[in-house]
Amino acid sequence: MISVQVAWARLGDAHADLLTLLDPVERGRHDETVAPADRARFLAGCALSRLLLGELLHLPPADVPLRRVCPRCGGPHGKVRLDLPDAPVPYDFSVTHSGAVVGVAVSSDGSVGLDVEDGEAPVDVDGAARTALSGTELAALYALPPAERRLAFLRVWTRKEAVLKALGVGLRMPLRALEVSPPAAPPAVLVWPPPSAAPPDLRVSDLSPADLRMADLLVDGVHPATVAMAVTEATAVTQVKAATGLAARGAVSGPGEVRVVPRDGSAILAAHSR
């Protein structure tokens, strides 16, 4: 069974005491962010990541070594990763936010991707669908009554975003080349992009549906979200070796469902004060 902790917080949960947790790179990015709402999202995401990882690694949150490196330009704005190669249990995590919701997923069972979308914000479904959905997905979407298409599209979108985050490639892969199951069906990858459509650092030929597990979530009853776990054979071997003597906490024994362990991110952030 693949396990992942998922914590949700809100924009209003960001408070000044959390600034003490940020490293110099994070503090600089926070201070340079102009919009107050964007600053609050960034602060809540960074702080919640550090508090969750610090708890698991038995480290003070401010001492959790995080690293942001863009794979294209080398700048400090790539996917944030835990920079602790000698950790007995290797953790991966993913941060997402939309509207007033901020989420963090953490797991030791593979690479994790988390995405949430604002279920109450207006969406140009027709325009977005033409950009993000394959022909098969478009046909399935327009087979639904018009009133159901917006939430159906957001569900498909969160699945795709979560998968791309778990693979660590983001929107460098064309969304239309990745096909997922219809909204009413259990989440799954149906069609991988051909090698010609994938980023050069992603070996699509090495992937199979068994490597990718997903779980759909709904935040506050209105915001669709998805968490995805990428578990390759190499990752599984590493996890099993790392888990020796540790009650097999990170062991992967084969295909399985994703077990989501909910955490109250708002309470976690509120509990931290100087």
Side-chain angles (χ1 to χ4, degrees):
M1 177 71 73
I2 304 302
S3 180
V4 56
Q5 294 189 29
V6 180
W8 298 106
R10 309 299 179 274
L11 207 59
D13 296 329
H15 56 87
D17 286 350
L18 298 175
L19 290 169
T20 62
L21 302 180
L22 305 190
D23 65 22
V25 172
E26 293 166 338
R27 185 59 186 264
R29 182 169 168 181
H30 171 273
D31 294 346
E32 292 169 0
T33 302
V34 176
D38 291 339
R39 282 201 305 273
R41 291 185 190 97
F42 182 76
L43 176 58
C46 286
L48 188 54
S49 300
R50 289 181 168 280
L51 288 163
L52 287 171
L53 289 166
E55 174 186 302
L56 292 168
L57 295 166
H58 306 291
L59 289 174
D63 293 343
V64 173
L66 301 182
R67 188 166 179 259
R68 290 174 173 81
V69 178
C70 174
R72 287 177 290 181
C73 72
H77 51 260
K79 177 184 176 180
V80 58
R81 298 184 184 279
L82 180 65
D83 190 16
L84 200 62
D86 296 328
V89 177
Y91 287 99
D92 190 44
F93 70 107
S94 180
V95 183
T96 186
H97 54 74
S98 184
V101 178
V102 179
V104 177
V106 182
S107 180
S108 62
D109 289 337
S111 299
V112 62
L114 179 67
D115 188 65
V116 66
E117 297 299 327
D118 189 339
E120 298 177 316
V123 178
D124 176 9
V125 172
D126 292 334
R130 285 193 297 270
T131 301
L133 304 190
S134 69
T136 301
E137 291 168 335
L138 277 172
L141 179 69
Y142 285 110
L144 297 173
E148 298 178 15
R149 292 173 188 169
R150 178 176 169 278
L151 289 180
F153 169 75
L154 290 179
R155 174 55 69 201
V156 173
W157 178 274
T158 63
R159 290 177 179 178
K160 292 195 177 197
E161 279 277 348
V163 168
L164 297 185
K165 288 183 177 182
L167 297 177
V169 297
L171 294 179
R172 291 186 292 141
M173 180 186 293
L175 286 172
R176 295 185 64 187
L178 174 70
E179 187 173 313
V180 298
S181 52
V189 173
L190 301 183
V191 178
W192 289 112
S196 60
D201 55 336
L202 178 64
R203 296 178 59 184
V204 175
S205 59
D206 291 344
L207 297 171
S208 75
D211 298 326
L212 207 293
R213 298 95 186 264
M214 287 186 277
D216 287 336
L217 309 168
L218 193 63
V219 185
D220 296 339
V222 294
H223 307 298
T226 300
V227 61
M229 294 288 302
V231 185
T232 63
E233 181 179 355
T235 301
V237 170
T238 300
Q239 298 281 355
V240 171
K241 288 181 178 179
T244 303
L246 296 174
R249 183 175 184 177
V252 175
S253 58
E257 301 274 336
V258 175
R259 182 173 71 94
V260 176
V261 180
R263 300 291 304 274
D264 188 340
S266 295
I268 292 171
L269 293 178
H272 178 79
S273 59
R274 298 190 193 192

mmCIF file of all heavy atoms in Angstrom, residues 10-47:
data_model
loop_
_atom_site.group_PDB
_atom_site.id
_atom_site.type_symbol
_atom_site.label_atom_id
_atom_site.label_comp_id
_atom_site.label_asym_id
_atom_site.label_seq_id
_atom_site.Cartn_x
_atom_site.Cartn_y
_atom_site.Cartn_z
ATOM 1 N N ARG A 10 -5.146 27.277 4.676
ATOM 2 C CA ARG A 10 -5.857 28.352 4.001
ATOM 3 C C ARG A 10 -4.982 29.603 3.963
ATOM 4 O O ARG A 10 -4.039 29.738 4.737
ATOM 5 C CB ARG A 10 -7.191 28.661 4.693
ATOM 6 C CG ARG A 10 -8.083 27.448 4.942
ATOM 7 C CD ARG A 10 -8.497 26.744 3.672
ATOM 8 N NE ARG A 10 -9.326 25.560 3.909
ATOM 9 C CZ ARG A 10 -8.872 24.348 4.146
ATOM 10 N NH1 ARG A 10 -7.551 24.140 4.208
ATOM 11 N NH2 ARG A 10 -9.693 23.329 4.322
ATOM 12 N N LEU A 11 -5.320 30.495 3.069
ATOM 13 C CA LEU A 11 -4.547 31.716 2.900
ATOM 14 C C LEU A 11 -4.402 32.478 4.215
ATOM 15 O O LEU A 11 -3.336 32.992 4.552
ATOM 16 C CB LEU A 11 -5.245 32.598 1.857
ATOM 17 C CG LEU A 11 -4.388 33.571 1.046
ATOM 18 C CD1 LEU A 11 -3.323 32.830 0.272
ATOM 19 C CD2 LEU A 11 -5.279 34.373 0.098
ATOM 20 N N GLY A 12 -5.481 32.516 4.980
ATOM 21 C CA GLY A 12 -5.459 33.248 6.240
ATOM 22 C C GLY A 12 -4.627 32.605 7.322
ATOM 23 O O GLY A 12 -4.441 33.212 8.397
ATOM 24 N N ASP A 13 -4.119 31.397 7.088
ATOM 25 C CA ASP A 13 -3.300 30.723 8.096
ATOM 26 C C ASP A 13 -1.857 31.227 8.115
ATOM 27 O O ASP A 13 -1.111 30.924 9.049
ATOM 28 C CB ASP A 13 -3.289 29.211 7.836
ATOM 29 C CG ASP A 13 -4.660 28.585 7.972
ATOM 30 O OD1 ASP A 13 -5.469 29.082 8.785
ATOM 31 O OD2 ASP A 13 -4.938 27.604 7.260
ATOM 32 N N ALA A 14 -1.451 31.959 7.086
ATOM 33 C CA ALA A 14 -0.086 32.507 7.052
ATOM 34 C C ALA A 14 0.029 33.621 8.089
ATOM 35 O O ALA A 14 -0.795 34.532 8.119
ATOM 36 C CB ALA A 14 0.234 33.029 5.659
ATOM 37 N N HIS A 15 1.037 33.544 8.934
ATOM 38 C CA HIS A 15 1.245 34.597 9.938
ATOM 39 C C HIS A 15 2.738 34.881 10.059
ATOM 40 O O HIS A 15 3.594 34.084 9.648
ATOM 41 C CB HIS A 15 0.640 34.213 11.287
ATOM 42 C CG HIS A 15 1.139 32.910 11.856
ATOM 43 N ND1 HIS A 15 2.270 32.839 12.637
ATOM 44 C CD2 HIS A 15 0.664 31.644 11.754
ATOM 45 C CE1 HIS A 15 2.467 31.577 13.007
ATOM 46 N NE2 HIS A 15 1.513 30.829 12.488
ATOM 47 N N ALA A 16 3.062 36.033 10.636
ATOM 48 C CA ALA A 16 4.432 36.553 10.620
ATOM 49 C C ALA A 16 5.438 35.622 11.278
ATOM 50 O O ALA A 16 6.605 35.568 10.870
ATOM 51 C CB ALA A 16 4.464 37.929 11.293
ATOM 52 N N ASP A 17 5.033 34.885 12.315
ATOM 53 C CA ASP A 17 5.986 34.020 13.002
ATOM 54 C C ASP A 17 6.545 32.929 12.089
ATOM 55 O O ASP A 17 7.629 32.403 12.335
ATOM 56 C CB ASP A 17 5.312 33.356 14.212
ATOM 57 C CG ASP A 17 5.119 34.332 15.370
ATOM 58 O OD1 ASP A 17 5.673 35.445 15.290
ATOM 59 O OD2 ASP A 17 4.425 33.975 16.332
ATOM 60 N N LEU A 18 5.823 32.598 11.030
ATOM 61 C CA LEU A 18 6.284 31.554 10.116
ATOM 62 C C LEU A 18 7.505 31.999 9.311
ATOM 63 O O LEU A 18 8.231 31.155 8.773
ATOM 64 C CB LEU A 18 5.162 31.159 9.153
ATOM 65 C CG LEU A 18 3.900 30.572 9.790
ATOM 66 C CD1 LEU A 18 2.834 30.335 8.725
ATOM 67 C CD2 LEU A 18 4.218 29.276 10.538
ATOM 68 N N LEU A 19 7.742 33.296 9.234
ATOM 69 C CA LEU A 19 8.894 33.796 8.487
ATOM 70 C C LEU A 19 10.213 33.292 9.067
ATOM 71 O O LEU A 19 11.211 33.178 8.349
ATOM 72 C CB LEU A 19 8.889 35.324 8.463
ATOM 73 C CG LEU A 19 7.795 35.979 7.611
ATOM 74 C CD1 LEU A 19 7.747 37.488 7.886
ATOM 75 C CD2 LEU A 19 8.039 35.717 6.133
ATOM 76 N N THR A 20 10.230 32.968 10.357
ATOM 77 C CA THR A 20 11.466 32.487 10.987
ATOM 78 C C THR A 20 11.873 31.111 10.463
ATOM 79 O O THR A 20 13.017 30.687 10.664
ATOM 80 C CB THR A 20 11.299 32.412 12.510
ATOM 81 O OG1 THR A 20 10.254 31.480 12.837
ATOM 82 C CG2 THR A 20 10.944 33.779 13.083
ATOM 83 N N LEU A 21 10.960 30.417 9.795
ATOM 84 C CA LEU A 21 11.262 29.088 9.276
ATOM 85 C C LEU A 21 11.947 29.123 7.916
ATOM 86 O O LEU A 21 12.550 28.138 7.497
ATOM 87 C CB LEU A 21 9.973 28.266 9.161
ATOM 88 C CG LEU A 21 9.152 28.067 10.426
ATOM 89 C CD1 LEU A 21 7.914 27.228 10.120
ATOM 90 C CD2 LEU A 21 9.985 27.417 11.520
ATOM 91 N N LEU A 22 11.841 30.234 7.192
ATOM 92 C CA LEU A 22 12.335 30.305 5.823
ATOM 93 C C LEU A 22 13.845 30.442 5.768
ATOM 94 O O LEU A 22 14.457 31.094 6.627
ATOM 95 C CB LEU A 22 11.700 31.489 5.098
ATOM 96 C CG LEU A 22 10.167 31.576 5.077
ATOM 97 C CD1 LEU A 22 9.720 32.667 4.109
ATOM 98 C CD2 LEU A 22 9.535 30.246 4.712
ATOM 99 N N ASP A 23 14.454 29.845 4.739
ATOM 100 C CA ASP A 23 15.884 30.041 4.527
ATOM 101 C C ASP A 23 16.075 31.341 3.739
ATOM 102 O O ASP A 23 15.096 31.977 3.321
ATOM 103 C CB ASP A 23 16.511 28.840 3.827
ATOM 104 C CG ASP A 23 15.989 28.613 2.410
ATOM 105 O OD1 ASP A 23 15.465 29.566 1.794
ATOM 106 O OD2 ASP A 23 16.122 27.479 1.915
ATOM 107 N N PRO A 24 17.316 31.794 3.536
ATOM 108 C CA PRO A 24 17.528 33.082 2.860
ATOM 109 C C PRO A 24 16.922 33.152 1.457
ATOM 110 O O PRO A 24 16.398 34.207 1.065
ATOM 111 C CB PRO A 24 19.060 33.194 2.814
ATOM 112 C CG PRO A 24 19.528 32.411 3.999
ATOM 113 C CD PRO A 24 18.574 31.258 4.098
ATOM 114 N N VAL A 25 16.991 32.058 0.691
ATOM 115 C CA VAL A 25 16.414 32.065 -0.653
ATOM 116 C C VAL A 25 14.903 32.236 -0.579
ATOM 117 O O VAL A 25 14.305 33.034 -1.304
ATOM 118 C CB VAL A 25 16.780 30.770 -1.412
ATOM 119 C CG1 VAL A 25 16.019 30.694 -2.734
ATOM 120 C CG2 VAL A 25 18.276 30.711 -1.668
ATOM 121 N N GLU A 26 14.271 31.495 0.312
ATOM 122 C CA GLU A 26 12.821 31.595 0.473
ATOM 123 C C GLU A 26 12.421 32.971 0.990
ATOM 124 O O GLU A 26 11.426 33.549 0.523
ATOM 125 C CB GLU A 26 12.335 30.515 1.436
ATOM 126 C CG GLU A 26 12.487 29.107 0.893
ATOM 127 C CD GLU A 26 12.317 28.035 1.948
ATOM 128 O OE1 GLU A 26 12.507 28.358 3.155
ATOM 129 O OE2 GLU A 26 12.027 26.890 1.595
ATOM 130 N N ARG A 27 13.185 33.497 1.940
ATOM 131 C CA ARG A 27 12.847 34.813 2.487
ATOM 132 C C ARG A 27 12.955 35.881 1.405
ATOM 133 O O ARG A 27 12.117 36.791 1.308
ATOM 134 C CB ARG A 27 13.768 35.148 3.673
ATOM 135 C CG ARG A 27 13.403 36.453 4.387
ATOM 136 C CD ARG A 27 11.977 36.419 4.933
ATOM 137 N NE ARG A 27 11.591 37.701 5.493
ATOM 138 C CZ ARG A 27 11.671 37.995 6.785
ATOM 139 N NH1 ARG A 27 12.117 37.094 7.650
ATOM 140 N NH2 ARG A 27 11.290 39.173 7.231
ATOM 141 N N GLY A 28 14.002 35.775 0.571
ATOM 142 C CA GLY A 28 14.148 36.740 -0.518
ATOM 143 C C GLY A 28 13.005 36.667 -1.500
ATOM 144 O O GLY A 28 12.473 37.696 -1.946
ATOM 145 N N ARG A 29 12.605 35.452 -1.855
ATOM 146 C CA ARG A 29 11.485 35.298 -2.788
ATOM 147 C C ARG A 29 10.186 35.823 -2.175
ATOM 148 O O ARG A 29 9.384 36.456 -2.850
ATOM 149 C CB ARG A 29 11.339 33.830 -3.172
ATOM 150 C CG ARG A 29 10.241 33.565 -4.174
ATOM 151 C CD ARG A 29 10.317 32.159 -4.716
ATOM 152 N NE ARG A 29 9.119 31.794 -5.458
ATOM 153 C CZ ARG A 29 8.916 30.616 -6.017
ATOM 154 N NH1 ARG A 29 9.846 29.673 -5.913
ATOM 155 N NH2 ARG A 29 7.794 30.343 -6.660
ATOM 156 N N HIS A 30 9.999 35.552 -0.886
ATOM 157 C CA HIS A 30 8.809 36.055 -0.198
ATOM 158 C C HIS A 30 8.767 37.576 -0.219
ATOM 159 O O HIS A 30 7.747 38.187 -0.558
ATOM 160 C CB HIS A 30 8.805 35.545 1.247
ATOM 161 C CG HIS A 30 7.747 36.170 2.114
ATOM 162 N ND1 HIS A 30 7.959 37.351 2.799
ATOM 163 C CD2 HIS A 30 6.475 35.787 2.393
ATOM 164 C CE1 HIS A 30 6.869 37.660 3.468
ATOM 165 N NE2 HIS A 30 5.954 36.737 3.238
ATOM 166 N N ASP A 31 9.881 38.202 0.122
ATOM 167 C CA ASP A 31 9.916 39.656 0.216
ATOM 168 C C ASP A 31 9.781 40.331 -1.138
ATOM 169 O O ASP A 31 9.308 41.472 -1.231
ATOM 170 C CB ASP A 31 11.216 40.107 0.892
ATOM 171 C CG ASP A 31 11.292 39.663 2.349
ATOM 172 O OD1 ASP A 31 10.251 39.255 2.888
ATOM 173 O OD2 ASP A 31 12.396 39.704 2.922
ATOM 174 N N GLU A 32 10.189 39.636 -2.205
ATOM 175 C CA GLU A 32 10.110 40.211 -3.540
ATOM 176 C C GLU A 32 8.727 40.027 -4.189
ATOM 177 O O GLU A 32 8.456 40.610 -5.242
ATOM 178 C CB GLU A 32 11.171 39.575 -4.444
ATOM 179 C CG GLU A 32 12.597 39.958 -4.053
ATOM 180 C CD GLU A 32 13.636 39.132 -4.782
ATOM 181 O OE1 GLU A 32 13.228 38.256 -5.587
ATOM 182 O OE2 GLU A 32 14.841 39.329 -4.540
ATOM 183 N N THR A 33 7.896 39.195 -3.578
ATOM 184 C CA THR A 33 6.560 38.960 -4.121
ATOM 185 C C THR A 33 5.664 40.148 -3.792
ATOM 186 O O THR A 33 5.510 40.508 -2.621
ATOM 187 C CB THR A 33 5.956 37.667 -3.541
ATOM 188 O OG1 THR A 33 6.833 36.576 -3.847
ATOM 189 C CG2 THR A 33 4.585 37.394 -4.139
ATOM 190 N N VAL A 34 5.092 40.738 -4.802
ATOM 191 C CA VAL A 34 4.359 41.999 -4.624
ATOM 192 C C VAL A 34 2.970 41.787 -4.044
ATOM 193 O O VAL A 34 2.591 42.437 -3.060
ATOM 194 C CB VAL A 34 4.268 42.753 -5.965
ATOM 195 C CG1 VAL A 34 3.424 44.015 -5.810
ATOM 196 C CG2 VAL A 34 5.669 43.094 -6.488
ATOM 197 N N ALA A 35 2.195 40.895 -4.625
ATOM 198 C CA ALA A 35 0.797 40.727 -4.210
ATOM 199 C C ALA A 35 0.727 40.076 -2.826
ATOM 200 O O ALA A 35 1.328 39.022 -2.603
ATOM 201 C CB ALA A 35 0.047 39.883 -5.227
ATOM 202 N N PRO A 36 0.000 40.673 -1.872
ATOM 203 C CA PRO A 36 -0.109 40.091 -0.527
ATOM 204 C C PRO A 36 -0.627 38.651 -0.530
ATOM 205 O O PRO A 36 -0.144 37.816 0.232
ATOM 206 C CB PRO A 36 -1.087 41.033 0.178
ATOM 207 C CG PRO A 36 -0.952 42.337 -0.544
ATOM 208 C CD PRO A 36 -0.693 41.974 -1.972
ATOM 209 N N ALA A 37 -1.600 38.346 -1.388
ATOM 210 C CA ALA A 37 -2.142 36.981 -1.423
ATOM 211 C C ALA A 37 -1.086 35.994 -1.895
ATOM 212 O O ALA A 37 -0.984 34.880 -1.362
ATOM 213 C CB ALA A 37 -3.372 36.925 -2.328
ATOM 214 N N ASP A 38 -0.284 36.378 -2.871
ATOM 215 C CA ASP A 38 0.777 35.486 -3.356
ATOM 216 C C ASP A 38 1.841 35.286 -2.288
ATOM 217 O O ASP A 38 2.396 34.186 -2.148
ATOM 218 C CB ASP A 38 1.406 36.059 -4.628
ATOM 219 C CG ASP A 38 0.465 36.017 -5.818
ATOM 220 O OD1 ASP A 38 -0.492 35.217 -5.784
ATOM 221 O OD2 ASP A 38 0.670 36.791 -6.770
ATOM 222 N N ARG A 39 2.164 36.338 -1.528
ATOM 223 C CA ARG A 39 3.127 36.200 -0.430
ATOM 224 C C ARG A 39 2.605 35.225 0.615
ATOM 225 O O ARG A 39 3.339 34.382 1.131
ATOM 226 C CB ARG A 39 3.410 37.555 0.223
ATOM 227 C CG ARG A 39 4.357 38.442 -0.540
ATOM 228 C CD ARG A 39 4.986 39.495 0.365
ATOM 229 N NE ARG A 39 3.990 40.290 1.067
ATOM 230 C CZ ARG A 39 3.431 41.390 0.579
ATOM 231 N NH1 ARG A 39 3.778 41.816 -0.629
ATOM 232 N NH2 ARG A 39 2.548 42.063 1.278
ATOM 233 N N ALA A 40 1.315 35.346 0.928
ATOM 234 C CA ALA A 40 0.719 34.472 1.943
ATOM 235 C C ALA A 40 0.724 33.020 1.474
ATOM 236 O O ALA A 40 1.004 32.105 2.255
ATOM 237 C CB ALA A 40 -0.702 34.930 2.256
ATOM 238 N N ARG A 41 0.414 32.781 0.193
ATOM 239 C CA ARG A 41 0.435 31.415 -0.335
ATOM 240 C C ARG A 41 1.835 30.826 -0.247
ATOM 241 O O ARG A 41 2.020 29.669 0.149
ATOM 242 C CB ARG A 41 -0.043 31.398 -1.793
ATOM 243 C CG ARG A 41 -1.511 31.702 -1.989
ATOM 244 C CD ARG A 41 -1.919 31.533 -3.440
ATOM 245 N NE ARG A 41 -3.262 32.042 -3.669
ATOM 246 C CZ ARG A 41 -3.540 33.254 -4.143
ATOM 247 N NH1 ARG A 41 -2.549 34.073 -4.494
ATOM 248 N NH2 ARG A 41 -4.779 33.642 -4.291
ATOM 249 N N PHE A 42 2.827 31.620 -0.656
ATOM 250 C CA PHE A 42 4.202 31.137 -0.639
ATOM 251 C C PHE A 42 4.642 30.836 0.790
ATOM 252 O O PHE A 42 5.248 29.784 1.058
ATOM 253 C CB PHE A 42 5.124 32.180 -1.270
ATOM 254 C CG PHE A 42 6.564 31.750 -1.341
ATOM 255 C CD1 PHE A 42 6.990 30.834 -2.295
ATOM 256 C CD2 PHE A 42 7.489 32.250 -0.439
ATOM 257 C CE1 PHE A 42 8.312 30.422 -2.346
ATOM 258 C CE2 PHE A 42 8.819 31.848 -0.483
ATOM 259 C CZ PHE A 42 9.230 30.941 -1.444
ATOM 260 N N LEU A 43 4.336 31.735 1.718
ATOM 261 C CA LEU A 43 4.738 31.541 3.106
ATOM 262 C C LEU A 43 4.068 30.303 3.700
ATOM 263 O O LEU A 43 4.729 29.476 4.346
ATOM 264 C CB LEU A 43 4.379 32.775 3.929
ATOM 265 C CG LEU A 43 4.652 32.702 5.439
ATOM 266 C CD1 LEU A 43 6.116 32.416 5.707
ATOM 267 C CD2 LEU A 43 4.215 33.997 6.116
ATOM 268 N N ALA A 44 2.777 30.150 3.468
ATOM 269 C CA ALA A 44 2.061 28.996 4.017
ATOM 270 C C ALA A 44 2.605 27.697 3.439
ATOM 271 O O ALA A 44 2.795 26.714 4.167
ATOM 272 C CB ALA A 44 0.568 29.126 3.742
ATOM 273 N N GLY A 45 2.879 27.662 2.133
ATOM 274 C CA GLY A 45 3.395 26.455 1.508
ATOM 275 C C GLY A 45 4.777 26.087 2.019
ATOM 276 O O GLY A 45 5.045 24.909 2.316
ATOM 277 N N CYS A 46 5.665 27.071 2.105
ATOM 278 C CA CYS A 46 7.025 26.803 2.605
ATOM 279 C C CYS A 46 6.999 26.342 4.061
ATOM 280 O O CYS A 46 7.656 25.356 4.426
ATOM 281 C CB CYS A 46 7.878 28.065 2.491
ATOM 282 S SG CYS A 46 8.388 28.489 0.826
ATOM 283 N N ALA A 47 6.257 27.064 4.880
ATOM 284 C CA ALA A 47 6.226 26.742 6.304
ATOM 285 C C ALA A 47 5.608 25.378 6.557
ATOM 286 O O ALA A 47 6.125 24.576 7.350
ATOM 287 C CB ALA A 47 5.455 27.829 7.060
#
